[in-house]
C-alpha cells in the first residue's frame, strides 16, 4: 500500500490533491512499454491517464478506475543539430531540456517558466513559455508528435500526416485523445552572453501609476523582451508590493542595453528597489521561479484573458492588492503583439492582449476554504471582462470556463470521437459551449 501511494503521488506538485485512485500505475522506460500499457488498457476496456511532470494544479493525472502511465522514468532527449530539432519524451522538464540544450548545443526552447514543469502537459495545453508575447506559444514550435492511438498503434502526427491529431496536440490539454510518447521541437539560438533583465519594485500605493506605465510602454518594447507585472508580499514587507520585470533575450549585451534603456528612462519614481540591464541567464530565472512556486504547498489557481478594451488597471486592482498574507501571488503578462497576429491552425484559440492569473498558495488544509473563496470572489468580477481562460493555470472546475473558441471546441469533439470512440482516455468535461467533450 505504501508503494502504491508513493507511486500515486509521485511528483504531484499541488498538495491539495484529489482523492482519486487509479487501478494500476505503469512507469515505462521505453516506448514499447508505453505501447504495451495502452494495449493492456484497451484489452481490459480500462481508461487511461498520463503524467508528465506532475505539475498540473488540478492533478489531472489521477482518475478512479484507470491505468496511470507515468513518464517520470522515461526520459529521452535527442538533438538534430542540422535541422535544430529536439526529440523529447513528455516527462522531460523545461529546465532539463534547456540545461542540456544550452550546455551542449548553444540552443534553447521556450519551455515553461517553472523548472519542474514536464513538457507533456505544458505543450498539450499550449505552453505559455519564455517571451510568449513575441515568440508565440511553445506549442507553435512543435514540429511533430509521436503518439500511441487508442487502437494501440504508434503513429507520427505533423502538418503532413495525421493533421487532425497534430492540430489537437497543440492546445487540447487533457482533452487530447491519444498518448503522446515524444515531441519534435523547433529550437532557438541561446544568447552566448545570456540574458539581461531590469526590474522595478513599487509599494502598493503606486499601483495605478506604475501599472499604467507598464501598459503604455509595452507597445514600444523590443520583440525580444518579456514583461511581467506581479504582486506578492515581499520579504521584510508587511504590505503587497508591485514588481515589474523585463527580461531581454538579445544576442549581445549592447543590444539588450539599447532595448532596456527606454524602460529605465521612463520609469515612474518611487521604487522600493530597482535594477537595470543586469546580467542574467535561464538558470538564475529558473531558480527564482522555483522559489516563487514552492513545492510542498497547497495551490488554487485561476486566470483570465482580459478584454482589450477594458480598463485593465481598475479591473485587476482588487485581485492584485487584496492577496492573503503569505506566499500567494498574482501576475499580468503582456501578450501583444502575438495576440494581434494571425493565429496558427491549432486547438489553442483563446487570447487577448492581457493575461492575468492568481496563484493562491498556503500550507494548512484548514485554510482551504478561505483561499478558495478569495480566488472565486476576486475572479468573479474579472470574469465580467474576460474573453476566455488558459488551461495551464486553471483548476478545470468551472463549468462556464471557455478554453477554446466555439468552432475549435466543436472540431475537438469530432477528433475525440474519431480517435477515441470508446472514451478510453480520461478527459475532463469542458462546458465551454453547448458542446461537451465526453468524460
Amino acid at each position: 500500500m505504501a508503494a502504491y501511494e508513493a507511486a500515486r503521488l509521485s511528483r504531484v506538485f499541488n498538495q491539495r490533491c484529489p482523492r482519486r485512485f487509479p487501478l494500476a500505475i505503469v512507469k515505462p522506460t521505453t516506448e514499447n512499454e508505453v505501447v504495451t500499457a495502452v494495449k493492456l488498457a484497451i484489452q481490459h476496456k480500462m481508461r487511461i491517464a498520463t503524467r508528465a511532470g506532475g505539475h498540473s494544479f488540478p492533478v489531472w493525472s489521477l482518475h478512479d478506475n484507470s491505468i496511470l502511465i507515468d513518464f517520470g522514468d522515461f526520459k529521452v532527449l535527442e538533438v538534430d543539430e542540422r535541422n535544430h530539432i529536439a526529440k523529447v519524451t513528455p516527462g522531460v522538464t523545461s529546465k532539463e531540456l534547456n540545461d542540456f540544450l544550452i550546455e551542449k548545443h548553444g540552443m534553447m526552447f521556450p519551455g515553461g517558466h517553472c523548472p519542474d514543469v514536464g513538457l507533456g502537459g505544458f505543450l498539450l495545453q499550449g505552453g505559455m513559455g519564455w517571451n510568449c508575447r513575441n515568440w508565440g506559444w511553445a506549442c507553435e514550435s512543435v514540429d511533430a508528435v509521436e503518439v500511441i492511438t487508442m487502437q494501440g498503434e504508434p503513429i507520427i502526427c505533423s502538418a503532413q500526416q495525421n493533421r487532425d491529431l497534430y492540430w489537437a496536440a497543440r492546445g487540447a490539454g487533457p482533452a487530447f485523445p491519444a498518448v503522446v510518447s515524444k515531441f519534435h521541437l523547433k529550437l532557438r539560438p541561446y544568447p552566448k552572453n545570456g540574458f539581461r533583465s531590469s526590474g522595478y519594485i513599487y509599494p502598493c500605493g503606486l499601483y495605478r501609476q506604475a501599472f499604467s506605465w507598464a501598459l503604455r510602454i509595452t507597445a514600444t518594447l523590443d520583440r525580444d523582451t518579456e514583461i511581467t507585472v506581479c504582486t506578492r508580499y515581499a520579504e521584510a514587507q508587511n504590505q503587497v508590493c508591485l514588481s515589474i520585470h523585463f527580461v531581454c533575450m538579445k544576442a549581445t549585451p549592447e543590444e539588450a542595453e539599447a532595448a532596456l534603456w527606454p524602460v529605465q528612462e521612463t520609469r515612474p519614481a518611487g521604487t522600493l528597489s530597482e535594477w537595470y540591464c543586469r546580467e542574467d541567464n535561464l538558470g538564475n530565472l529558473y531558480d527564482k521561479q522555483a522559489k516563487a512556486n514552492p513545492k510542498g504547498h497547497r495551490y488554487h489557481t485561476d486566470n483570465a484573458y482580459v478584454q482589450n478594451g477594458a480598463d485593465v488597471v481598475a479591473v485587476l486592482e482588487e485581485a492584485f492588492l487584496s492577496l492573503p498574507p503569505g506566499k500567494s501571488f498574482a501576475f499580468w503578462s503582456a501578450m501583444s503583439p502575438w495576440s494581434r497576429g494571425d493565429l496558427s491552425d491549432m486547438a489553442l484559440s483563446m487570447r487577448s492582449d492581457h493575461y492575468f492569473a492568481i496563484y493562491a498558495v498556503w500550507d494548512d488544509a484548514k485554510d482551504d476554504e478561505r483561499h478558495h473563496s478569495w480566488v472565486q470572489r476576486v475572479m468573479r468580477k474579472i470574469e465580467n471582462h474576460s474573453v476566455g481562460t488558459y488551461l495551464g493555470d486553471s483548476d478545470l472546475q468551472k463549468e462556464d470556463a471557455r478554453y477554446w473558441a466555439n468552432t475549435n471546441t466543436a472540431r475537438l469533439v469530432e477528433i475525440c470521437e474519431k480517435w477515441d470512440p470508446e472514451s478510453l482516455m480520461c478527459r475532463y468535461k469542458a462546458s465551454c459551449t453547448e458542446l461537451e467533450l465526453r468524460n
Side-chain angles (χ1 to χ4, degrees):
M1 186 63 181
Y4 170 85
E5 190 65 1
R8 186 180 79 94
L9 301 178
S10 172
R11 295 172 298 112
V12 168
F13 180 77
N14 190 355
Q15 296 302 296
R16 193 171 62 91
C17 183
R19 291 187 58 79
R20 293 194 292 262
F21 299 90
L23 292 174
I25 300 171
V26 180
K27 304 190 77 170
T29 58
T30 67
E31 183 170 344
N32 285 338
E33 291 177 358
V34 178
V35 173
T36 299
V38 171
K39 288 183 175 179
L40 180 67
I42 294 170
Q43 178 183 350
H44 293 280
K45 297 187 182 300
M46 296 177 64
R47 302 171 75 210
I48 300 172
T50 61
R51 175 179 296 159
H55 204 285
S56 84
F57 293 106
V59 195
W60 76 40
S61 59
L62 290 182
H63 292 266
D64 292 327
N65 303 315
S66 68
I67 289 181
L68 168 59
I69 302 176
D70 187 333
F71 283 89
D73 293 337
F74 178 29
K75 295 192 177 183
V76 175
L77 209 171
E78 305 167 343
V79 175
D80 177 350
E81 285 206 51
R82 180 178 179 182
N83 295 304
H84 295 171
I85 296 288
K87 297 181 181 180
V88 298
T89 46
V92 173
T93 69
S94 295
K95 186 177 188 303
E96 288 172 337
L97 173 60
N98 276 319
D99 283 351
F100 178 83
L101 292 175
I102 293 169
E103 179 182 354
K104 302 292 186 182
H105 303 280
M107 306 291 288
M108 67 169 289
F109 181 75
H113 290 70
C114 292
D116 53 353
V117 169
L119 290 170
F122 173 75
L123 291 170
L124 282 176
Q125 65 201 11
M128 191 179 293
W130 295 106
N131 200 24
C132 185
R133 64 177 285 263
N134 294 305
W135 295 349
W137 288 71
C139 70
E140 295 180 271
S141 294
V142 173
D143 191 59
V145 289
E146 299 179 32
V147 310
I148 315 302
T149 69
M150 291 302 96
Q151 293 72 43
E153 179 185 2
I155 63 173
I156 295 180
C157 311
S158 67
Q160 289 74 43
Q161 52 187 326
N162 300 307
R163 293 175 60 185
D164 53 354
L165 276 183
Y166 176 62
W167 178 91
R170 294 173 300 153
F176 189 66
V179 175
V180 176
S181 60
K182 198 173 290 183
F183 294 93
H184 299 193
L185 307 176
K186 303 177 210 175
L187 306 178
R188 305 182 62 88
Y190 181 74
K192 292 182 179 179
N193 297 296
F195 297 160
R196 294 293 186 276
S197 68
S198 292
Y200 307 90
I201 301 177
Y202 291 91
C204 59
L206 292 177
Y207 163 81
R208 283 181 169 261
Q209 182 182 355
F211 192 15
S212 296
W213 164 72
L215 289 171
R216 288 195 305 272
I217 202 169
T218 294
T220 70
L221 287 179
D222 183 89
R223 294 293 295 269
D224 291 318
T225 301
E226 175 181 282
I227 174 172
T228 306
V229 176
C230 178
T231 59
R232 67 171 72 249
Y233 281 85
E235 294 181 8
Q237 295 285 336
N238 60 2
Q239 65 174 344
V240 172
C241 296
L242 181 79
S243 302
I244 306 178
H245 292 157
F246 303 85
V247 179
C248 191
M249 307 173 186
K250 303 298 283 186
T252 68
E254 293 76 19
E255 289 176 298
E257 185 172 359
L260 291 173
W261 175 246
V263 175
Q264 177 73 5
E265 192 175 34
T266 62
R267 73 197 187 284
T271 58
L272 297 171
S273 63
E274 63 178 70
W275 62 93
Y276 164 61
C277 204
R278 186 167 66 191
E279 185 175 349
D280 218 329
N281 56 65
L282 265 185
N284 182 49
L285 294 171
Y286 278 135
D287 289 343
K288 290 180 178 178
Q289 287 292 331
K291 184 178 180 181
N293 297 265
K295 295 182 179 180
H297 288 68
R298 305 175 75 81
Y299 284 78
H300 181 57
T301 63
D302 204 352
N303 70 91
Y305 296 103
V306 181
Q307 295 169 350
N308 291 345
D311 182 349
V312 177
V313 175
V315 168
L316 300 182
E317 185 168 11
E318 181 183 1
F320 260 139
L321 300 184
S322 67
L323 292 171
K327 297 181 176 65
S328 299
F329 63 96
F331 69 91
W332 167 90
S333 291
M335 300 306 295
S336 175
W338 177 87
S339 55
R340 300 296 182 104
D342 294 336
L343 192 63
S344 298
D345 186 27
M346 58 184 177
L348 181 76
S349 46
M350 306 310 300
R351 59 179 182 167
S352 76
D353 294 348
H354 310 284
Y355 178 74
F356 176 77
I358 282 177
Y359 282 40
V361 188
W362 67 100
D363 298 307
D364 198 322
K366 73 177 188 302
D367 295 323
D368 284 4
E369 179 58 31
R370 179 166 64 91
H371 286 83
H372 189 273
S373 297
W374 173 75
V375 171
Q376 285 187 315
R377 178 174 59 80
V378 297
M379 287 303 299
R380 194 173 298 120
K381 298 177 182 179
I382 295 172
E383 285 161 4
N384 294 328
H385 307 276
S386 171
V387 299
T389 302
Y390 171 48
L391 279 163
D393 292 326
S394 174
D395 67 359
L396 302 180
Q397 294 179 12
K398 293 193 300 185
E399 287 295 317
D400 58 348
R402 296 187 70 242
Y403 299 117
W404 307 280
N406 291 350
T407 54
N408 289 47
T409 302
R411 183 177 179 185
L412 188 52
V413 170
E414 293 175 357
I415 293 171
C416 289
E417 291 177 343
K418 172 185 173 182
W419 288 96
D420 185 16
E422 301 299 322
S423 294
L424 292 180
M425 285 296 295
C426 293
R427 295 196 291 273
Y428 280 81
K429 187 171 73 171
S431 301
C432 307
T433 67
E434 70 280 359
L435 292 166
E436 293 180 351
L437 301 179
R438 292 187 301 177
N439 195 357

